[in-house]
Each structure stands twice: as C-alpha cells, then as structure tokens.
Amino acid sequence: MEKNKSIGAKFKEFALSTLAVNNRKTVYLVLVILLIGGISSYQNMSREAFPEIQIPEIYVNAAYPGNSPEIVRDKIIKPLEKELNTIPGIDEIKSTAMQDFAVLNIKFDFSVSPDDAKDLVEEAYNDAKTDKSFAKDLPFPPTIAQMDITNMPIINLNLSGDFPVQYLNDKAEYLEDLIEAIPEISGVEIRGVQDRKLKIEVNKFKAEAAKVSFQDIENAIQNDNLMMGAGNMSIDGIDHFVVIDGKLNSIDKLKQLVVKHEDYDDVFLHEVADISFGDTDTTSFARQSDNPVVMIDIKKRSGSNVINAIDQVKVVIQEAVEDGVLDGINYTYTNDQSNKIRSQVSNLENSIIFGVILVVAVLLFFLGLRNALFVGVAIPLSMFMSFMLLHNFGVTLNIMVLFSLVLALGMLVDNGIVVVENIYRLMDEEGMDSFDAAKKGVGEVAWPIIASTATTLAVFIPLALWPGIMGEFMQYLPITLMIVLGSSLFIALV
C-alpha cells in the first residue's frame, strides 16, 4: 500500500485518460459506436472524382443584331462596365465586343458566393439600363449565368435505330420524365434533335389582291390562338371550371383560319400564304460511330453521390427496357463517370490498405508483437472516427480526401507509439498493474503528445486559408489531415 502511495505521488494523471480507465465499459461502447458509425459513414459518403468547388464567376451574353463591334462596345459593354466597377469583391472583368454580340466575364473574390455574385451583376445591369448611352432596342434582355462545374453531365444515354428522329425524341422525352424523378438527378437535356417550327410564307401578290396586310394575318393568329376561361358551371351541385380551347394545334386548323372578313366574304390563310413545318436552325449535333443519335445528357444534383445517381439511372432505363418502351431501339452509355470514380477510389483504397499493412509491419519489427498490435488498433479506430466527422461536415470522398488519408497513415500512429511504450515501461520498470500504468503512463506524456499534434496541425492552417480557386481545391487536404490527427490523439488518450 505504501509503495502504491509513493508511486501515485511520483506520477501525475491526465483527467480524460483516468476517466476512460475508470469507465471501461463506457469506452467499449464508444468504440463500438465508432466502429459502426465509421463503417456506415464511409458507405454513405458521396463519391466523386474531385471536390465540388463553387466558383464565383459570372457570364453576361447580350445579342445586339445588326450592329458593329464598336457600337456594341459603346452601347452595351461600356455602360455595364461602369456599373460593375462600383461592385466590391470583383477581381477581374473581361469584355469582348463582336459583330451583333457582347460577352462579359466577371470573376469575383471567393468571399462572394456564386448566387450573391449573380444578384450583384443583375443589379448592375438594371442600373446600366437607366444610362442614356445604353442600348434601348435590345431584342431581348442579356443572359446572366454563373459558372457551375457541377452542372456537367455525369453520363450520356444515346438512342439510335431505324426510326425517324422525332420518334426517338418522343422516347427520349418519356425517359426524361422518369430520370428527372430520381432524387439525385438535377436535370436532363436532350441533344441531337432539331426543334420544329411553323413557317408561314405570305404570297405578296395574293395578299395584295385580297387586300390582306401582314398586320391582318398577325392579328388573326394572335386573336384565334387563345385558351381562355369562361366562368364556372354548376352540375349536380359541383362547380366545374369552363375553358374555351382555341389553340391552333394543327396545320389544317391554321389553314382554315379567317384572316379577313369583309362584305360577307372570308379570306382564309391558305389562300394568301403557304404553311409548312420545318427545322429550326441547327444548334447541336449528336453522333456515335458516325451514326446520328438522340443523346440524353444527365446531370446530378450538387452534393449527391455520383455512383448512386448513375446506378439509379441505369435501373430506371432497365425497367423501361423490360416494359417495352425501347423495343427496337439501340441504347448505349457514354461518358460514364461512375467507372472512372470507382477505379480511382478503388486504387486509393488499396493504397490505404497496403499502407496500413506496411505500418503494422514496421511497428512489429521495431516494437514487437504486443506493442504493435495495440498501436495498430489505433489506425482503424482513428479512420472510422475521421469518416464520421468528415461525413457530418458534408465532405465527399474524393481524390484529395483519400490522398490525405494516405499521407496521414504514418502520422496517426505516432501518439499511440509514445503512449503504449510508456505504459509498458511503467509496468516493467515500476511494477505497476495495467490499470495504474495506463493512468500514470498517459498522464506522463499527455501534454507532450498534445503539443506535438498541435504543432503538426498548425503547419497546415496556412494551407487551409490559401485563397483563390487553388485554395478551394487544396483545402480538403489540411482539413482531412487535421481531422485524422485529431482523431488519433483522442484514441491515444482514451
């Protein structure tokens, strides 16, 4: 008893470690929670090739047909630049004046969110419109869009076969509704199909003979191509809303449209004009192996799991095939991001597993089997705790995170080595039992390993504060290292 008292007076304890040793069952429960929670978090973490970065970069496109670059510059770009220069947080403005068109690229500081940047540019445009030098005869307002690198397709579905393009487009639109119903999908875009437009070619001589003007034709189409409400009608005590559908939904109806009524004589549209359907100007081509296809671009929702999203898309397409929706139609997938991400993640996962084996082998060589096993336990426990924290912080499992985990493998066992060695030293040299040795051994080295970990983490703080797009990309490395090393410190002390 006297010996234990003298030992207790000689060595100090660390409160957290003493609490853990005195409440071993609670610690076992915490370890089980870390094990289950870590595995669950790892499986549920979104996987992608690179981190999602929100870039505060805005593009303004303004069409001004029939005007030279000089006029476009003076009437659109200069007034808009004048207002943009009053906005704080803008790093760079690039403007290009072309024949009939103006393009502005506005880059903001990363302290400004993309949504706020877009709002600021829209306000600047509204202010620029009040300038007397700004063009008053723009055919339509400029398009103001923000750069979104997450708005790129994650997979393309291609439809082809011995069918008219319009038939393939109908099938693509049907699949579009099914795919957009998937929670992980933000939008679908169909390419390779030219929109159809109605063409009305007025015969000048026939129109003049019938005394019909262009305004008569325009007014007739506008007035007759209407859908309007006609009030309510009560039937058996139930109110029904009455709608008069006057939409011109076929060429035959349009041909029989009366464009002028005079002296009990009706002039029909087909008498003064040729009416036909035709393709609009070509805006996109989609070809595969030199054959035309209808391509469906599928885009994921920000923050969603790319692999899960693509798997869900393939399930929906397979169900449509089984239902006979795509009978006779060949369908293929291109630009499948899940294959690339699976390969990259798998390679880095193998590197982590191989690294763990090498670390344990080195520990076994220098520390012996007993110490190596106890120190080796800290590796998976620290990893599982890190996965829980990363998942709760909304971090995705990407190349930067996995690369950081590989870097952290060698460092996260440092604290465990010091603690385990000191505990067994006290057991061998001081004759302490395992419980007292754990309390006193950790207490003796607790503050030194906390200081050591803190100095290591302090080195990565400037990297986490790196400004610009590189900083946004690289910040995942120091954040992951800080979480992993912090987790290893907690595991070593507990």
Side-chain angles (χ1 to χ4, degrees), residues 174-175 178-179 182 311-327 331 333:
Y174 176 81
L175 295 177
L178 298 179
I179 295 171
I182 301 174
D311 288 343
Q312 289 292 324
V313 169
K314 291 182 177 180
V315 169
V316 168
I317 300 303
Q318 186 59 39
E319 291 176 351
V321 172
E322 294 173 355
D323 292 339
V325 176
L326 300 179
D327 286 347
Y331 70 96
Y333 298 106

Coordinates of all heavy atoms in Angstrom, one line a residue, residues 174-175 178-179 182 311-327 331 333:
Y174 N -39.9 10.8 -72.9 CA -40.5 9.9 -72.0 C -39.5 9.5 -70.9 O -39.8 9.5 -69.7 CB -41.1 8.6 -72.7 CG -41.7 7.6 -71.7 CD1 -43.0 7.7 -71.2 CD2 -40.9 6.5 -71.3 CE1 -43.5 6.8 -70.4 CE2 -41.4 5.5 -70.5 CZ -42.7 5.7 -70.0 OH -43.3 4.8 -69.1
L175 N -38.3 9.1 -71.3 CA -37.2 8.7 -70.4 C -36.8 9.9 -69.5 O -36.4 9.8 -68.4 CB -36.0 8.2 -71.1 CG -36.3 6.8 -71.9 CD1 -35.0 6.5 -72.6 CD2 -36.7 5.7 -70.9
L178 N -38.9 10.1 -66.5 CA -38.5 9.1 -65.5 C -37.2 9.4 -64.8 O -37.1 9.2 -63.6 CB -38.4 7.7 -66.2 CG -39.7 7.2 -66.9 CD1 -39.4 5.9 -67.6 CD2 -40.8 7.0 -65.9
I179 N -36.2 9.9 -65.5 CA -34.9 10.1 -64.9 C -34.9 11.3 -64.0 O -34.3 11.3 -62.9 CB -33.9 10.3 -66.1 CG1 -33.7 9.0 -66.9 CG2 -32.5 10.8 -65.5 CD1 -32.8 9.2 -68.1
I182 N -35.7 10.9 -60.3 CA -34.7 10.4 -59.3 C -34.2 11.5 -58.5 O -33.8 12.6 -59.0 CB -33.5 9.8 -60.1 CG1 -34.0 8.6 -61.0 CG2 -32.4 9.3 -59.2 CD1 -33.0 8.0 -61.9
D311 N -26.2 4.6 -60.9 CA -26.8 3.3 -60.7 C -28.3 3.4 -60.8 O -29.0 2.5 -61.3 CB -26.4 2.7 -59.3 CG -24.9 2.3 -59.4 OD1 -24.4 2.1 -60.5 OD2 -24.3 2.1 -58.3
Q312 N -28.9 4.5 -60.2 CA -30.3 4.7 -60.2 C -30.8 4.9 -61.6 O -31.9 4.4 -62.0 CB -30.7 5.9 -59.3 CG -30.6 5.6 -57.8 CD -31.6 4.6 -57.3 OE1 -32.7 4.5 -57.8 NE2 -31.2 3.7 -56.4
V313 N -30.0 5.7 -62.4 CA -30.4 5.9 -63.8 C -30.4 4.6 -64.6 O -31.4 4.4 -65.3 CB -29.4 6.9 -64.5 CG1 -29.6 7.0 -66.0 CG2 -29.5 8.3 -63.9
K314 N -29.5 3.8 -64.4 CA -29.4 2.5 -65.1 C -30.6 1.6 -64.7 O -31.1 0.8 -65.5 CB -28.1 1.8 -64.9 CG -26.9 2.6 -65.5 CD -25.6 1.9 -65.3 CE -24.4 2.6 -66.0 NZ -23.1 2.0 -65.9
V315 N -30.9 1.7 -63.4 CA -32.1 0.9 -63.0 C -33.4 1.3 -63.7 O -34.2 0.5 -64.2 CB -32.3 1.0 -61.5 CG1 -33.6 0.4 -61.0 CG2 -31.1 0.2 -60.8
V316 N -33.6 2.6 -63.8 CA -34.7 3.2 -64.5 C -34.8 2.8 -65.9 O -35.8 2.4 -66.5 CB -34.8 4.7 -64.3 CG1 -35.8 5.4 -65.2 CG2 -35.1 5.1 -62.9
I317 N -33.6 2.9 -66.6 CA -33.5 2.5 -68.0 C -33.8 1.1 -68.2 O -34.5 0.7 -69.2 CB -32.2 2.9 -68.6 CG1 -31.9 4.4 -68.5 CG2 -32.1 2.5 -70.1 CD1 -33.0 5.3 -69.1
Q318 N -33.3 0.2 -67.3 CA -33.5 -1.2 -67.5 C -35.0 -1.6 -67.3 O -35.6 -2.4 -68.0 CB -32.7 -2.0 -66.4 CG -32.7 -3.5 -66.5 CD -32.3 -4.0 -67.9 OE1 -31.3 -3.5 -68.4 NE2 -33.0 -5.0 -68.4
E319 N -35.7 -0.9 -66.3 CA -37.1 -1.1 -66.1 C -37.9 -0.6 -67.4 O -38.9 -1.3 -67.8 CB -37.6 -0.3 -64.9 CG -37.1 -0.9 -63.6 CD -37.5 0.0 -62.4 OE1 -38.0 1.1 -62.6 OE2 -37.3 -0.4 -61.3
A320 N -37.5 0.5 -68.0 CA -38.1 0.9 -69.3 C -37.9 -0.1 -70.4 O -38.8 -0.4 -71.2 CB -37.6 2.3 -69.7
V321 N -36.7 -0.7 -70.4 CA -36.5 -1.8 -71.5 C -37.4 -3.0 -71.2 O -38.0 -3.5 -72.2 CB -35.0 -2.2 -71.4 CG1 -34.8 -3.4 -72.3 CG2 -34.1 -1.0 -71.9
E322 N -37.5 -3.4 -70.0 CA -38.4 -4.5 -69.6 C -39.8 -4.2 -69.9 O -40.6 -5.2 -70.2 CB -38.2 -4.9 -68.2 CG -36.8 -5.4 -67.9 CD -36.5 -5.6 -66.4 OE1 -37.4 -5.3 -65.6 OE2 -35.4 -6.1 -66.0
D323 N -40.2 -3.0 -69.8 CA -41.6 -2.6 -70.1 C -41.9 -2.4 -71.6 O -43.0 -2.1 -72.0 CB -42.0 -1.3 -69.4 CG -42.0 -1.5 -67.9 OD1 -42.2 -2.6 -67.4 OD2 -41.9 -0.5 -67.1
G324 N -40.9 -2.6 -72.4 CA -41.0 -2.5 -73.9 C -41.0 -1.1 -74.4 O -41.3 -0.9 -75.6
V325 N -40.5 -0.1 -73.6 CA -40.5 1.3 -74.1 C -39.5 1.4 -75.2 O -39.7 2.2 -76.1 CB -40.2 2.2 -72.9 CG1 -40.0 3.7 -73.4 CG2 -41.3 2.1 -71.8
L326 N -38.4 0.7 -75.1 CA -37.3 0.9 -76.1 C -37.2 -0.3 -77.1 O -36.1 -0.6 -77.5 CB -36.0 1.1 -75.4 CG -35.8 2.3 -74.4 CD1 -34.5 2.3 -73.7 CD2 -36.1 3.6 -75.2
D327 N -38.3 -0.9 -77.4 CA -38.3 -2.0 -78.3 C -37.8 -1.6 -79.7 O -38.3 -0.6 -80.3 CB -39.7 -2.6 -78.5 CG -40.2 -3.4 -77.3 OD1 -39.3 -3.7 -76.5 OD2 -41.4 -3.7 -77.2
Y331 N -29.6 1.3 -77.4 CA -29.3 2.4 -76.4 C -27.9 2.0 -75.8 O -27.5 0.8 -75.6 CB -30.3 2.5 -75.2 CG -30.3 1.3 -74.3 CD1 -29.6 1.3 -73.1 CD2 -31.1 0.2 -74.6 CE1 -29.7 0.2 -72.2 CE2 -31.1 -0.9 -73.7 CZ -30.4 -0.9 -72.5 OH -30.5 -1.9 -71.7
Y333 N -24.4 3.8 -73.3 CA -24.0 4.8 -72.3 C -22.6 5.2 -72.7 O -21.7 4.4 -73.1 CB -23.9 4.2 -70.9 CG -25.2 3.7 -70.4 CD1 -25.5 2.4 -70.3 CD2 -26.2 4.6 -70.0 CE1 -26.7 1.9 -69.8 CE2 -27.4 4.2 -69.5 CZ -27.7 2.9 -69.4 OH -28.9 2.4 -68.9

